[in-house]
Amino acid sequence: QVQLVESGGGLVQAGGSLRLSCAASGSIVRINDMGWYHQAPGKQRELVASITSGGSTNYVPSVKGRFIISRDNAKNAVYLQMNSLKPEDTAVYYCSADVLSRSTWSYMSYWGQGTQVTVSS
């Protein structure tokens, strides 16, 4: 079993910052790509940023220059530093990880439970 637990969401004014954290635990052998997604009410879940095990990053254009994704491989954790937040960033944020676990001995994608980010204007 693998679990991903997010933390760090909340309410912030436009222009403010938040830092999201996500820690994976369980029978983990290795984690490849990790990422953050968001889902606004009535919309599909979308990728925000991703990071490979080697540290290569990818961002959607709307957050480039404002958000920074990072990871700590020793802690099986991924982070999202969100700066210059805008009301349109309001959504539930989910972390995801491609994990090789001892229970399956194959890579599977796991998701966290989500954390709400609300940006007021």
Side-chain angles (χ1 to χ4, degrees):
Q1 287 280 39
V2 174
Q3 299 84 35
L4 271 62
V5 177
E6 299 121 335
S7 61
L11 173 64
V12 65
Q13 288 189 330
S17 298
L18 283 175
R19 185 175 189 250
L20 305 183
S21 300
C22 172
S25 63
S27 56
I28 296 169
V29 176
R30 178 181 169 85
I31 302 177
N32 275 350
D33 292 357
M34 304 184 82
W36 288 95
Y37 291 71
H38 68 192
Q39 186 168 18
K43 295 189 176 182
Q44 289 188 331
R45 191 173 299 185
E46 299 176 330
L47 175 68
V48 175
S50 64
I51 185 167
T52 68
S53 57
S56 296
T57 58
N58 177 57
Y59 299 92
V60 294
S62 61
V63 308
K64 200 171 288 187
R66 299 190 298 124
F67 291 9
I68 301 171
I69 188 171
S70 61
R71 65 189 284 174
D72 185 334
N73 291 331
K75 296 182 179 179
N76 291 329
V78 63
Y79 310 97
L80 187 67
Q81 177 66 43
M82 303 186 294
N83 302 318
S84 302
L85 281 161
K86 305 175 181 179
E88 50 264 43
D89 295 319
T90 295
V92 178
Y93 284 72
Y94 298 89
C95 68
S96 176
D98 293 332
V99 180
L100 176 66
S101 71
R102 292 182 184 85
S103 59
T104 66
W105 288 105
S106 63
Y107 280 97
M108 293 181 61
S109 293
Y110 293 87
W111 294 86
Q113 81 285 357
T115 185
Q116 177 70 47
V117 171
T118 302
V119 185
S120 63
S121 57

